[in-house]
């Protein structure tokens, strides 16, 4: 199985997980309701944190409460103090991330107060993370054997949103009718995701040479699309091996835009409900570089647009919009043969120590499971 296979397969997994949403979210909903907390804190790093940032606005809207997203380091150092008495969940998709394990140990050691449960969300409940958490929740990604997660990102965004939906209902904040409406919105998000797959395939063909530039890139987005920008920049960095930064819209035009040249790559994500400001900025930057692209659900017929449909609930826009960067990373890394990192960096992998012992063996085991399950 290749990375692009998982990019495409995510649509089926999203729909499968929606069909068993109650079962998937029930352990986390029960832990949340038992906590009687009025805020939520998500502790995560890398793609897991980006997924949380993609889901955060929807979660806050549906729960009617603050949802904070912090890294494990910041959590242990200072961000465990505020918000006070938050329901805290720690995410590690692999279940091997040493910084997430450290955050769980901090909670177990009384860092958030005596008697507070350590709650872990993972795609691999048999991983070492299980020994550091009181509650371990499998968010339902299934088998994804490529280290650069794609299907895992979308399914985690979906899971966090579904958790918020059912937790809000369980605590009496929303009605059953609202739940039913939101579930239909998820269906529209998956339809948009399928449309995005088709649009990105055409986009990659049309812009093949421009998108193959080995130059620094900027990825810009607001709200849920800020999480998309974070994940997009990461995929450009770790897969295609080009330097990439992420930014909010106005932060970008307060300095980072000064680096643009006619050779640059720039990806701007329109706001969920559309932004004339961002559209105008894109049109101006397009006069600097033909490598400027505008990802939007509100096409205006300007050059460089990639039209991806909007879900019924605009706060779910990250689910289809992530496809652009996942598709780009998967296809270009393969075409340009960029999978291998520099030997000096590769030599450091074991000494850097971001994963618990057994991680490489777990990847090999996933590859064998993928062959059995998917026949490839």
């Amino acid at each position: 199985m290749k990375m692009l296979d998982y990019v495409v397969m995510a649509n089926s997994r999203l729909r499968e997980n929606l069909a068993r949403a109650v079962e998937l979210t029930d352990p986390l909903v029960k832990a949340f309701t038992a906590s009687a907390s009025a805020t939520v804190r998500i502790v995560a790093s890398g793609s897991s944190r980006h997924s949380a940032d993609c889901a955060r606005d929807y979660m806050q809207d549906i729960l009617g409460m603050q949802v904070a997203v912090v890294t494990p380091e910041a959590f242990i150092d200072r961000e465990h103090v505020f918000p006070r008495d938050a329901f805290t969940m720690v995410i590690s998709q692999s279940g091997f991330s040493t910084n997430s394990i450290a955050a769980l140990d901090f909670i177990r050691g009384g860092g958030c107060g005596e008697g507070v449960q350590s709650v872990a969300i993972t795609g691999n409940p048999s991983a070492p993370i299980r020994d550091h958490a009181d509650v371990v929740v499998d968010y339902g990604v299934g088998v994804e054997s490529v280290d650069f997660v794609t299907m895992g990102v979308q399914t985690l965004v979906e899971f966090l949103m579904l958790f918020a939906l059912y937790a809000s209902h369980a605590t009496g904040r929303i009605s059953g009718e609202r739940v039913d409406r939101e579930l239909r919105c998820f269906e529209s998000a998956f339809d948009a995701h399928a449309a995005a797959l088709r649009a990105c395939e055409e986009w990659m063909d049309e812009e093949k040479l421009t998108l193959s530039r080995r130059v620094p890139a900027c990825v810009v987005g607001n709200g849920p699309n800020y999480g998309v920008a974070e994940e997009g920049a990461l995929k450009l960095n770790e897969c295609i091996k080009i330097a990439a930064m992420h930014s909010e819209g106005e932060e970008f035009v307060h300095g980072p835009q000064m680096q643009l040249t006619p050779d640059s790559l720039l990806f701007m994500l329109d706001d969920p409900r559309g932004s004339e400001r961002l559209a105008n900025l894109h049109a101006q930057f397009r006069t600097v570089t033909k490598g400027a692209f505008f990802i939007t659900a509100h096409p205006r017929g300007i050059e460089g647009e990639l039209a991806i449909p909007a879900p019924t609930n605009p706060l779910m826009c990250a689910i289809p919009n992530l496809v652009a960067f996942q598709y780009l990373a998967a296809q270009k890394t393969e075409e340009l043969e960029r999978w291998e990192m520099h030997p000096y960096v590769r030599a450091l992998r074991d000494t850097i120590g971001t994963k618990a012992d057994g991680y490489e063996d777990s990847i090999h085991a996933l590859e064998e499971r993928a062959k059995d399950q998917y026949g490839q």
Side-chain angles (χ1 to χ4, degrees), residues 11-193:
N11 195 268
S12 296
R13 185 53 48 82
L14 288 166
R15 296 180 192 276
E16 291 167 3
N17 285 358
L18 184 65
R20 59 191 189 106
V22 174
E23 170 198 345
L24 275 177
T25 59
D26 187 59
L28 191 61
V29 170
K30 285 180 176 175
F32 171 74
T33 55
S35 73
S37 296
T39 57
V40 172
R41 180 191 292 115
I42 301 173
V43 181
S45 63
S47 290
S48 298
R49 180 172 61 81
H50 306 161
S51 297
D53 282 335
C54 287
R56 188 177 71 91
D57 285 9
Y58 178 88
M59 295 177 72
Q60 288 195 147
D61 182 66
I62 208 76
L63 283 166
M65 63 177 64
Q66 179 186 5
V67 177
V69 180
V70 300
T71 63
E73 289 81 2
F75 169 69
I76 293 170
D77 185 37
R78 59 191 179 279
E79 300 294 343
H80 58 275
V81 178
F82 299 106
R84 292 191 184 279
D85 303 318
F87 175 71
T88 300
M89 60 182 87
V90 180
I91 306 176
S92 170
Q93 294 183 60
S94 70
F96 282 83
S97 299
T98 52
N99 55 354
S100 294
I101 288 172
L104 289 166
D105 289 342
F106 178 80
I107 296 171
R108 272 191 162 181
C112 291
E114 295 301 320
V116 176
Q117 284 190 315
S118 57
V119 179
I121 300 172
T122 183
N124 187 359
S126 63
I129 200 170
R130 71 183 186 277
D131 299 323
H132 301 264
D134 302 311
V135 178
V136 180
V137 181
D138 183 348
Y139 74 89
V141 62
V143 177
E144 182 172 22
S145 60
V146 176
D147 202 9
F148 306 113
V149 289
T150 54
M151 186 166 70
V153 174
Q154 255 105 352
T155 52
L156 182 54
V157 174
E158 175 193 27
F159 175 84
L160 292 171
M161 290 178 174
L162 286 170
F163 154 72
L165 182 64
Y166 286 106
S168 188
H169 183 247
T171 53
R173 291 176 170 85
I174 61 171
S175 66
E177 288 78 10
R178 175 72 185 278
V179 173
D180 291 340
R181 287 200 306 273
E182 293 299 323
L183 292 176
R184 290 192 292 272
C185 291
F186 277 97
E187 291 285 0
S188 79
F190 305 156
D191 291 342
H193 179 274

Side-chain angles (χ1 to χ4, degrees), residues 59-365:
M59 295 177 72
Q60 288 195 147
D61 182 66
I62 208 76
L63 283 166
M65 63 177 64
Q66 179 186 5
V67 177
V69 180
V70 300
T71 63
E73 289 81 2
F75 169 69
I76 293 170
D77 185 37
R78 59 191 179 279
E79 300 294 343
H80 58 275
V81 178
F82 299 106
R84 292 191 184 279
D85 303 318
F87 175 71
T88 300
M89 60 182 87
V90 180
I91 306 176
S92 170
Q93 294 183 60
S94 70
F96 282 83
S97 299
T98 52
N99 55 354
S100 294
I101 288 172
L104 289 166
D105 289 342
F106 178 80
I107 296 171
R108 272 191 162 181
C112 291
E114 295 301 320
V116 176
Q117 284 190 315
S118 57
V119 179
I121 300 172
T122 183
N124 187 359
S126 63
I129 200 170
R130 71 183 186 277
D131 299 323
H132 301 264
D134 302 311
V135 178
V136 180
V137 181
D138 183 348
Y139 74 89
V141 62
V143 177
E144 182 172 22
S145 60
V146 176
D147 202 9
F148 306 113
V149 289
T150 54
M151 186 166 70
V153 174
Q154 255 105 352
T155 52
L156 182 54
V157 174
E158 175 193 27
F159 175 84
L160 292 171
M161 290 178 174
L162 286 170
F163 154 72
L165 182 64
Y166 286 106
S168 188
H169 183 247
T171 53
R173 291 176 170 85
I174 61 171
S175 66
E177 288 78 10
R178 175 72 185 278
V179 173
D180 291 340
R181 287 200 306 273
E182 293 299 323
L183 292 176
R184 290 192 292 272
C185 291
F186 277 97
E187 291 285 0
S188 79
F190 305 156
D191 291 342
H193 179 274
L197 289 168
R198 296 188 294 271
C200 289
E201 184 177 10
E202 294 177 4
W203 177 54
M204 294 289 292
D205 287 340
E206 292 171 359
E207 301 288 350
K208 179 178 180 178
L209 296 181
T210 302
L211 292 170
S212 298
R213 293 177 180 176
R214 194 162 197 173
V215 295
C218 304
V219 191
V220 178
N222 300 320
N225 284 328
Y226 181 69
V228 178
E230 290 178 306
E231 181 63 12
L234 175 62
K235 284 294 181 279
L236 296 175
N237 278 308
E238 67 182 2
C239 295
I240 308 179
K241 313 297 189 296
I242 61 175
M245 62 170 288
H246 61 267
S247 179
E248 290 181 319
E250 292 303 318
E251 290 301 302
F252 180 69
V253 295
H254 275 73
Q257 90 286 355
M258 294 180 184
Q259 68 185 282
L260 294 178
T261 73
D263 295 324
S264 296
L265 285 172
L266 169 63
F267 305 92
M268 299 189 73
L269 292 133
D270 198 1
D271 284 349
R273 293 177 175 84
S275 166
E276 288 302 318
R277 166 70 167 164
L278 289 177
N280 290 335
L281 286 172
H282 162 72
Q284 292 176 63
F285 292 135
R286 185 79 178 180
T287 67
V288 177
T289 173
K290 298 304 180 185
F293 297 98
F294 191 52
I295 301 168
T296 180
H298 311 278
R300 298 160 176 84
I302 55 181
E303 286 188 349
E305 285 183 330
L306 170 59
I308 293 178
T312 305
N313 186 332
L315 295 180
M316 295 180 179
C317 63
I319 291 174
N321 287 347
L322 282 161
V323 173
F325 300 99
Q326 295 173 338
Y327 208 109
L328 175 63
Q331 184 162 313
K332 285 302 172 187
T333 308
E334 191 75 21
E335 286 182 355
L336 304 176
E337 300 179 352
R338 300 270 178 82
W339 291 114
E340 287 299 320
M341 65 189 78
H342 192 280
Y344 293 173
V345 177
R346 187 170 61 246
L348 296 176
R349 292 197 75 175
D350 293 337
T351 58
I352 290 174
T354 62
K355 302 294 184 184
D357 291 342
Y359 177 69
E360 293 299 330
D361 291 338
S362 76
I363 293 295
H364 296 319

